[in-house]
């Protein structure tokens, strides 16, 4: 796969739609990344931190009791929840911080929804002694108070965003405004495969480690490739990371799971690829939830990490080519899957990952017992237990 | 681009040895009737060109004043087609002022690039500014705007390199919007950019009138900026007056500000 092209396009999706002030910074970033990408010492250093600091490789775990419950395919979990800071987000933040350091930047900004990317950024900034500001919608700050506290302990400034829906979309707008203002000194560390070129390809490259390991591990453990890989999709970085090394393996079915929220028909969801249409948001052309005039709609999901009206451009491309199938799972189904994993395996998954699990459970029951499903367990659910407790009426 | 009102206005200003004043207003804030009235008010008070902002839900190049005005306008239900219709009304009711639409790319993209260029031009709009559409992505839209005689006006920033200026020259129409600061729209106490150096660099590559915008708060700054440009843009300071008027009539305050700024730059010219 040689995508994206030089201008950052995956088919008709991607590109750079940002204020002119930022264009030279994107050109500089692209050049710096291309140079680093060709430099073996860059990858060696990244590998060192991924192994010794993040705790990679993460296990590929056969969920026996969960599989027995489903009475069908064997379900394996790629345990990104066991990474340092508790999610896949750290793979990318370490990669980008190393790049920012190479570029001589001293100040890091980021935006976060559920807080996992914010925590991962604050962590990496602390590790390399950089100043860090994280933009977060006030609604998300209330939903994810624990992660706000973690970021502050790590030395980051958390900036509450009161505009718009007070969620990830508005935090991203505010981070871009900061970047436009402080572009000379500041590195904008985007947490998903979204944003203007080169972010979608760069974040994908840093997350590919998930799929590369999965490929090796599943072959070691089962002697073959899986039948299905399932991952949740908000912006889409964990999904892109696990899917990418399998794109050429046509026999492996790839399933991206969006948040159907209260239901696709209710309008209260975050199912961008299922219900959106192509548009331009946050620097690239991709599927977007929007009204007739192109005003961006508010997304809804019980999971703050999926509550985003856009999606990475490569996912839009993979949807249009049909290589990846994108489904959606409701809040209620995700909550059920969340509890199921807790009780069958003693693992508390992030609500984001619970969406992928719910889809896997649905599929497993309809597949033969020798079939293999890999679920990307993108993060752990500590941050979500209060949300779940509230949703279950306090019994959590 | 011959016969375009923007080009004509800049030639007239140059002949008179005067600096132009471009005023911005967010359409639909607080409502479209007020917007139409304010356009008239600004023209009568001395505005040489008028920018009408089509509000967008996620205006990343704008500061808090225009962001809030846009959010309020959208909450009141303003639609793109109604704004274009309003422009047609303004044009019919006389005024020869060049009208420029400013909006983000997604509303234009959803309207349809060709339909947007056609409908805007038919309504008597003369130019279009899209702050999140760098020249690398503008080719398709430019084909349509050129076809319908609408000037697609480029933005340049203090960070824009000579190489980029040279590359964007063939795609530049109308005038060059020089963003005076690295940052978002909004009145500022001081502009730290070396405007002389910045505009010289721009003029070396782009043979079009230069307008300076972003951060011009009032007469004193306008006078300070005037020597370096052919026109200047005042936006947030005007929108802020609309916000301050609350339920009252913002027209007197807007007229006074436009007159003050016009007076300040004419002395300087």
């Amino acid at each position: 796969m040689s995508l994206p092209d030089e201008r950052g396009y995956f088919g008709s999706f991607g590109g750079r739609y940002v204020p002119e002030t930022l264009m030279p910074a994107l050109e500089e970033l692209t050049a710096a990344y291309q140079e680093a990408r060709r430099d073996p010492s860059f990858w060696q250093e990244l590998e060192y931190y991924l192994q010794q600091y993040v705790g990679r490789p993460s296990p590929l775990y056969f969920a026996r009791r969960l599989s027995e419950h489903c009475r069908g395919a064997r379900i394996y979990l790629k345990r990104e929840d066991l990474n340092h800071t508790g999610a896949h987000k750290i793979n990318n933040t370490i990669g980008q911080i190393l790049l920012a350091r190479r570029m001589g930047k001293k100040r890091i900004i980021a935006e976060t929804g559920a807080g996992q990317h914010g925590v991962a950024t604050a962590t990496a900034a602390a590790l390399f002694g950089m100043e860090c500001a994280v933009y977060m919608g006030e609604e998300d700050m209330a939903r994810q108070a624990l992660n706000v506290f973690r970021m502050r302990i790590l030395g980051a400034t958390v900036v509450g965003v009161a505009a718009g829906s007070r969620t990830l979309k508005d935090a991203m707008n505010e981070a871009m405004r900061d970047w436009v203002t402080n572009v000379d000194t500041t590195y904008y560390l985007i947490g998903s495969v979204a944003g203007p070129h080169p972010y979608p390809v760069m974040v994908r490259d840093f997350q590919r480690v998930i799929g590369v390991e999965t490929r090796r591990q599943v072959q070691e453990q089962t002697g073959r490739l899986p039948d299905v890989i399932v991952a949740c999709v908000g912006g889409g970085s964990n999904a892109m990371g696990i899917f990418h090394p399998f794109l050429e393996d046509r026999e492996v079915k790839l399933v991206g799971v969006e948040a159907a929220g209260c239901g696709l028909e209710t309008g209260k969801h975050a199912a961008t690829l299922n219900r959106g249409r192509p548009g331009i948001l946050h620097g690239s052309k991709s599927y977007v939830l929007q009204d007739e005039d192109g005003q961006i709609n508010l997304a809804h999901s019980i999971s703050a990490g999926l509550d985003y009206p856009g999606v990475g451009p490569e996912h839009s491309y993979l949807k249009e080519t049909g290589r990846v199938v994108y489904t959606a799972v409701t809040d209620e189904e995700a909550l059920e899957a969340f509890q199921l994993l807790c009780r069958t395996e003693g693992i508390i998954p992030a609500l984001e990952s619970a969406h992928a699990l719910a889809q896997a459970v649905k599929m497993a029951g309809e597949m033969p017992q020798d079939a293999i499903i890999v679920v990307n367990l993108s993060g752990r659910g500590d941050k979500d237990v209060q949300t779940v407790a509230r949703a279950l009426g306090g019994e959590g | 681009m011959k016969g375009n009102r923007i080009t004509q206005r800049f030639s007239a200003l140059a002949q008179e040895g005067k600096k132009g004043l471009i005023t911005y207003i967010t359409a639909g804030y607080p409502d479209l009737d007020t917007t139409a009235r304010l356009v008239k008010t600004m023209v009568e008070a001395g505005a040489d060109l008028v920018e009408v902002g089509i509000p967008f839900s996620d205006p990343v190049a704008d500061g808090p004043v225009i962001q809030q005005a846009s959010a309020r306008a959208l909450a009141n239900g303003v639609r793109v087609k109604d704004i274009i219709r309003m422009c047609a009304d303004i044009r019919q009711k006389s005024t020869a002022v060049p009208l420029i639409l400013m909006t983000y790319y997604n509303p234009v993209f959803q309207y349809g690039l060709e339909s947007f260029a056609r409908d805007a031009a038919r309504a008597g709009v003369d130019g279009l500014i899209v702050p999140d559409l760098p020249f690398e992505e503008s080719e398709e839209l430019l084909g349509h705007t050129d076809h319908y005689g609408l000037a697609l006006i480029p933005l340049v920033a203090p960070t824009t390199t000579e190489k980029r200026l040279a590359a964007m020259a063939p795609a530049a129409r109308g005038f060059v919007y020089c963003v005076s600061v690295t940052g978002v729209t909004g009145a500022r106490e001081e502009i730290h950019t070396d405007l002389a150096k910045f505009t010289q660099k721009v003029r070396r590559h782009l043979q079009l009138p230069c307008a300076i915008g972003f951060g011009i708060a009032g007469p004193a700054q306008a006078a300070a900026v005037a020597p370096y440009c052919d026109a200047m843009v005042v936006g947030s300071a005007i929108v802020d007056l609309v916000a301050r008027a609350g339920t009252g009539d913002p027209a007197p305050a807007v007229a006074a500000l436009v007159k003050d700024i016009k007076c300040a730059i004419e002395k300087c010219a």
Side-chain angles (χ1 to χ4, degrees):
Chain A
M1 282 261 155
S2 59
L3 293 177
D5 67 16
E6 240 173 59
R7 293 168 60 220
Y9 277 87
F10 304 88
S12 57
F13 301 104
R16 283 178 180 154
Y17 297 86
V18 296
E20 171 62 27
T21 307
L22 295 179
M23 288 298 287
L26 289 173
E27 288 175 346
E28 182 198 350
L29 176 60
T30 305
Y33 178 58
Q34 275 170 357
E35 189 262 328
R37 206 181 187 186
R38 286 191 299 264
D39 179 356
S41 76
F42 176 76
W43 295 102
Q44 275 161 16
E45 190 176 19
L46 178 58
E47 171 101 4
Y48 168 81
Y49 284 103
L50 290 181
Q51 278 181 16
Q52 305 300 325
Y53 186 76
V54 173
R56 303 206 71 89
S58 65
L60 181 72
Y61 166 71
F62 171 49
R64 186 179 54 84
R65 296 224 321 129
L66 176 67
S67 302
E68 280 168 6
H69 172 91
C70 297
R71 296 166 186 276
R74 285 181 289 162
I75 299 177
Y76 287 76
L77 306 176
K78 180 58 176 166
R79 299 291 307 274
E80 292 298 298
D81 60 315
L82 293 178
N83 290 336
H84 180 51
T85 72
H88 70 290
K89 295 289 185 185
I90 191 78
N91 304 325
N92 168 53
T93 55
I94 298 278
Q96 285 197 54
I97 283 268
L98 289 177
L99 186 64
R101 205 178 47 159
R102 255 174 116 92
M103 294 172 73
K105 304 285 181 183
K106 304 264 187 282
R107 178 175 182 261
I108 303 293
I109 56 168
E111 85 297 319
T112 195
Q116 289 306 96
H117 173 58
V119 169
T121 304
T123 299
L127 178 62
F128 292 103
M130 295 198 195
E131 186 190 340
C132 178
V134 180
Y135 288 89
M136 191 169 187
E138 287 183 348
E139 163 88 18
D140 287 339
M141 285 177 77
R143 287 196 283 188
Q144 301 291 346
L146 178 64
N147 273 343
V148 173
F149 190 59
R150 289 167 78 195
M151 286 183 263
R152 287 181 174 150
I153 289 173
L154 291 162
T157 305
V158 181
V159 187
V161 177
S165 59
R166 311 196 308 168
T167 62
L168 180 57
K169 161 178 96 79
D170 303 286
M172 202 149 174
N173 292 339
E174 216 49 49
M176 282 182 96
R177 287 191 186 90
D178 180 319
W179 200 31
V180 170
T181 307
N182 302 298
V183 64
D184 288 341
T185 57
T186 298
Y187 183 94
Y188 181 16
L189 207 164
I190 291 183
S192 197
V193 287
H197 178 63
Y199 285 100
V201 60
M202 188 167 68
V203 176
R204 175 195 82 191
D205 288 352
F206 291 139
Q207 293 294 1
R208 276 184 96 251
V209 65
I210 305 171
V212 169
E213 285 175 12
T214 299
R215 195 183 171 88
R216 190 180 67 232
Q217 290 166 323
V218 75
Q219 281 176 322
E220 277 167 13
Q221 292 179 32
T222 71
R224 65 182 182 91
L225 293 180
D227 298 287
V228 180
I229 298 176
V230 189
C232 65
V233 178
S237 72
N238 89 82
M240 215 52 245
I242 197 167
F243 290 164
H244 197 261
F246 292 93
L247 287 180
E248 306 284 311
D249 303 299
R250 294 283 151 176
E251 70 273 28
V252 180
K253 185 173 182 185
L254 304 174
V255 182
V257 186
E258 297 192 309
C262 302
L264 292 181
E265 308 313 320
T266 65
K268 289 185 73 179
H269 58 74
T272 307
L273 289 163
N274 281 278
R275 283 291 185 275
R277 61 175 196 282
I280 292 93
L281 175 65
H282 294 148
S284 64
K285 190 182 280 180
S286 191
Y287 272 66
V288 177
L289 291 176
Q290 55 188 320
D291 71 12
E292 212 186 314
D293 267 6
Q295 309 294 347
I296 309 306
N297 284 341
L298 299 188
H300 166 83
S301 168
I302 191 169
S303 163
L306 298 181
D307 197 349
Y308 180 59
V311 66
E314 194 167 7
H315 284 293
S316 294
Y317 170 75
L318 292 170
K319 173 196 161 69
E320 293 219 335
T321 59
R323 177 64 188 96
V324 180
V325 173
Y326 293 90
T327 62
V329 153
T330 63
D331 288 350
E332 204 177 318
E333 291 169 316
L335 277 167
E336 266 175 45
F338 176 96
Q339 296 172 83
L340 179 64
L341 193 71
C342 291
R343 289 173 188 173
T344 55
E345 298 288 349
I347 297 170
I348 303 175
L351 277 173
E352 293 90 326
S353 317
H355 285 74
L357 272 170
Q359 178 66 30
V361 168
K362 272 190 215 175
M363 294 176 77
E366 293 158 9
M367 291 168 73
Q369 295 206 342
D370 59 352
I372 297 169
I373 299 179
V374 174
V375 179
N376 198 11
L377 204 69
S378 54
R380 68 182 188 217
D382 307 36
K383 67 183 170 62
D384 294 321
V385 291
Q386 280 181 321
T387 303
V388 173
R390 271 195 301 275
L392 299 178
E395 62 173 274
Chain B
M1 232 23 63
K2 65 175 168 9
N4 185 293
R5 290 181 197 91
I6 295 170
T7 309
Q8 288 167 356
R9 182 58 56 103
F10 273 103
S11 329
L13 284 165
Q15 273 174 7
E16 294 164 35
K18 286 183 175 170
K19 307 291 179 178
L21 174 60
I22 305 172
T23 58
Y24 168 94
I25 195 92
T26 301
Y29 176 63
D31 54 67
L32 282 178
D33 287 344
T34 306
T35 306
R37 217 153 40 78
L38 285 173
V39 170
K40 191 164 170 270
T41 301
M42 295 189 299
V43 172
E44 285 166 2
D48 296 292
L49 299 90
V50 172
E51 251 184 68
V52 173
I54 298 178
F56 180 51
S57 55
D58 296 73
V60 295
D62 283 303
V65 170
I66 292 177
Q67 187 186 8
Q68 277 159 26
S70 300
R72 287 276 304 279
L74 291 173
N76 293 341
V78 70
R79 299 289 312 271
V80 176
K81 61 180 193 307
D82 299 332
I83 295 168
I84 292 176
R85 196 175 303 134
M86 177 197 74
C87 291
D89 286 348
I90 292 171
R91 183 60 73 214
Q92 273 180 354
K93 282 178 189 147
S94 76
T95 171
V97 74
L99 281 177
I100 299 157
L101 286 173
M102 178 157 182
T103 189
Y104 289 80
Y105 194 45
N106 201 44
V108 178
F109 184 71
Q110 299 308 326
Y111 195 100
L113 301 184
E114 175 167 18
S115 311
F116 189 94
R118 182 195 61 215
D119 290 359
R122 281 185 189 162
V125 172
D126 306 291
L128 176 63
I129 299 175
V130 188
D132 61 342
L133 188 70
F135 74 89
E136 287 92 336
E137 306 287 359
S138 72
E139 195 182 324
E140 195 184 351
L141 179 59
L142 185 67
H144 298 300
T145 51
D146 276 354
H147 180 76
Y148 290 102
L150 200 64
L152 186 58
I153 294 153
L155 289 124
V156 300
T159 52
T160 306
T161 56
E162 302 249 1
K163 197 176 158 202
R164 292 185 59 76
L165 286 169
M168 73 174 66
R173 303 284 186 274
F175 65 90
V176 191
Y177 191 133
C178 301
V179 176
S180 65
V181 293
T182 54
V184 293
T185 59
R188 284 169 178 77
E189 290 194 355
E190 277 181 82
I191 293 168
H192 296 288
T193 307
D194 183 341
L195 293 174
K197 219 169 135 188
F198 176 34
T199 50
Q200 273 166 19
K201 188 172 87 172
V202 173
R203 287 182 201 277
R204 267 204 298 279
H205 296 280
L206 298 163
Q207 320 303 320
L208 287 172
C210 278
I212 293 179
F214 280 38
I216 298 168
Q221 278 183 338
V225 162
Y228 308 109
C229 60
D230 302 297
M232 67 202 66
V233 188
V234 179
S236 293
I238 292 170
V239 177
D240 192 41
L241 291 177
V242 180
R244 283 169 198 274
T247 51
D249 182 8
V254 170
L257 179 68
V258 173
K259 274 180 193 154
D260 283 353
I261 293 176
K262 182 76 176 174
C263 172
I265 59 177
E266 299 225 315
K267 268 180 217 149
C268 162

